[in-house]
Amino acid sequence: KDKVKLLATDHLKRIRRRAATVDELDLITHKATGCQNDELNNPDGHVLSESQEEAPKKRAKKGNTLRTWSLDILVGSIAAVDNLLDYSASSNETCKNPILKSILSKYDMSKTNLVRRSLPGRPAETKEELQQWNTNLWPTLFFEKKTDQFKEEELQLSIEEIKMMLEGLKAAVEDAIAGRQKWKEYKTTTLCKDDCTQLFPGFDISGVVVMNPQSGDIVSRSSDERILQSNKNAFPDEQNPLCTSTILAIQGVSRAERQNALGHGMESKEFKRGQEPNAYEAMALVHSRVRRVVFGTVDRGIGGLGGVENARMNGGIHCLPGTNHHYRAFRLNTDYLDGGDDDDDQPIQSLIESIQELHTDPINL
């Protein structure tokens, strides 16, 4: 026997209220009249005397019009109801929809007293479609966050958000300068008092700040955490190969939350970084459940957000389908330098030049 394909009705509301039709009003009036005739006799069978007064009726307020409503109940899809009504009671098979079966049997429903309607076969995709269906067809559930319109609106950035991103990148440049200055002080006071040829490290010291996008406050700076983890005989980035500016910034957020009992987590945080995070740092940001990452220049060698030249389809760690968290990544458009000589463009052009100066020569990091 061929299996019947049952249509889903989860997106439809079970009950619809509507104004009663003329035929339904006549039926209600007829039943009400019959009930009044039956109530003329009391439970003992005696006829009520004419002297007994009826209970006073409440007077309707002026301007209030009484309306009679009817309720339509959605029992199920046509295929599901027909399948159960044709279901053989002597069959050894177990009913796959016992709830619907109990409803049909309890109210003695059959094909003769059920009405078939053409209803939407999917949830509404826009608010306009929802309004049209609710008015003309049937009340439908609306999952706004699943609609393409909502997703597109969520991806749009406001002018305030863009300005805040640029401010975060400026703070990241300042953080990079502070981190490299700390390295020079460490080398000058320890290993190279006489020979200062090792003033430039053989690893990346980028500037990374964590910003709260709602308030614009800097939550953590990698240079601040680097100072807390440094001592006279050790520099965190040199001592631990897994210690990078991004990891230090993440640890700074953890330290602040432990000390202040903030408890906000990383879901509402944004990372601002001068250079693109590498694959290791990009995955650490996934585990940190960060909201957005903004960086200045790409890393063609080991960039983890699509900067690697041979990356398949120019994808990144942040959008891998197998991970349990995704975040958005934004890169500063360095082609903006060709924009012109407008005074409003000078701060952005100065920011681009500062980032490129910090990350141009790998030897001079």
Side-chain angles (χ1 to χ4, degrees):
K1 184 179 180 179
D2 297 335
K3 293 184 178 180
V4 179
K5 184 178 180 180
L6 304 181
L7 298 177
T9 58
D10 298 339
H11 59 284
L12 300 172
K13 293 187 177 181
R14 294 303 173 187
I15 299 177
R16 178 183 69 167
R17 189 184 74 162
R18 57 174 176 79
T21 63
V22 177
D23 294 338
E24 291 171 341
L25 289 174
D26 293 340
L27 180 61
I28 294 173
T29 304
H30 177 71
K31 289 185 176 180
T33 305
C35 292
Q36 290 177 359
N37 293 333
D38 294 339
E39 290 175 356
L40 292 177
N41 294 327
N42 59 14
D44 297 331
H46 302 292
V47 179
L48 298 177
S49 62
E50 296 180 358
S51 61
Q52 291 177 325
E53 297 182 357
E54 297 180 357
K57 297 181 179 180
K58 293 183 179 180
R59 183 176 299 176
K61 296 181 180 180
K62 294 183 179 180
N64 290 350
T65 304
L66 297 178
R67 268 185 103 173
T68 304
W69 300 94
S70 291
L71 297 180
D72 294 335
I73 301 176
L74 175 63
V75 179
S77 65
I78 294 177
V81 174
D82 288 348
N83 188 33
L84 283 176
L85 291 176
D86 297 338
Y87 186 81
S88 176
S90 59
S91 176
N92 295 327
E93 298 180 3
T94 304
C95 179
K96 297 181 179 181
N97 198 337
I99 298 178
L100 179 58
K101 183 181 179 181
S102 63
I103 293 175
L104 295 177
S105 59
K106 180 178 179 180
Y107 296 99
D108 193 21
M109 294 184 181
S110 62
K111 294 183 179 180
T112 58
N113 53 19
L114 292 175
V115 179
R116 301 189 178 195
R117 302 281 187 186
S118 296
L119 303 181
R122 57 171 175 80
E125 296 180 352
T126 62
K127 292 183 179 179
E128 292 76 14
E129 193 174 51
L130 175 69
Q131 181 65 27
Q132 181 182 2
W133 287 358
N134 287 349
T135 304
N136 302 325
L137 294 177
W138 191 270
T140 309
L141 298 179
F142 181 56
F143 305 100
E144 183 178 9
K145 293 185 178 181
K146 295 183 179 181
T147 62
D148 295 335
Q149 180 180 356
F150 178 83
K151 293 177 181 179
E152 291 177 359
E153 293 176 353
E154 280 287 295
L155 295 178
Q156 295 178 359
L157 296 175
S158 64
I159 298 177
E160 290 74 16
E161 286 179 307
I162 296 175
K163 290 181 179 180
M164 196 174 295
M165 288 181 177
L166 293 175
E167 292 297 326
L169 286 177
K170 292 179 183 178
V173 170
E174 297 173 357
D175 187 71
I177 296 174
R180 297 180 187 199
Q181 182 63 32
K182 181 64 179 177
W183 167 261
K184 290 182 180 180
E185 294 175 0
Y186 165 71
K187 282 295 184 181
T188 302
T189 56
T190 55
L191 302 180
C192 56
K193 294 181 180 179
D194 300 325
D195 182 11
C196 293
T197 58
Q198 299 181 358
L199 285 178
F200 300 107
F203 46 83
D204 178 24
I205 300 182
S206 297
V208 180
V209 298
V210 183
M211 176 180 287
N212 185 338
Q214 297 179 352
S215 62
D217 298 333
I218 302 296
V219 180
S220 172
R221 302 174 188 267
S222 63
S223 59
D224 294 341
E225 183 65 21
R226 185 178 285 111
I227 293 174
L228 293 174
Q229 296 187 21
S230 300
N231 54 58
K232 295 182 179 180
N233 300 320
F235 194 80
D237 306 61
E238 184 183 44
Q239 188 180 26
N240 183 1
L242 298 180
C243 180
T244 66
S245 298
T246 299
I247 300 301
L248 288 171
I250 295 175
Q251 292 175 342
V253 176
S254 177
R255 182 187 299 273
E257 292 189 344
R258 290 197 307 270
Q259 292 177 349
N260 303 323
L262 297 178
H264 296 309
M266 300 293 292
E267 290 83 353
S268 61
K269 303 298 187 300
E270 290 187 1
F271 273 70
K272 309 296 191 301
R273 196 179 196 277
Q275 191 177 33
E276 176 186 4
N278 57 37
Y280 160 68
E281 294 172 322
M283 182 54 72
L285 292 172
V286 171
H287 293 303
S288 299
R289 310 189 74 82
V290 66
R291 180 187 180 190
R292 290 192 293 218
V293 175
V294 184
F295 61 93
T297 60
V298 297
D299 185 352
R300 297 299 182 187
I302 55 175
L305 301 180
V308 179
E309 294 181 354
N310 60 352
R312 183 177 299 178
M313 294 185 298
N314 201 29
I317 301 295
H318 63 298
C319 55
L320 290 175
T323 56
N324 61 358
H325 176 72
H326 301 91
Y327 55 85
R328 301 182 69 187
F330 297 87
R331 178 181 64 84
L332 181 64
N333 184 13
T334 55
D335 296 335
Y336 198 83
L337 285 173
D338 302 331
D341 298 329
D342 192 352
D343 293 339
D344 296 336
D345 298 336
Q346 291 301 323
I348 301 179
Q349 294 179 4
S350 177
L351 174 62
I352 295 174
E353 292 173 355
S354 300
I355 293 177
Q356 290 181 341
E357 183 180 354
L358 287 170
H359 299 284
T360 298
D361 188 359
I363 300 177
N364 243 357
L365 289 176

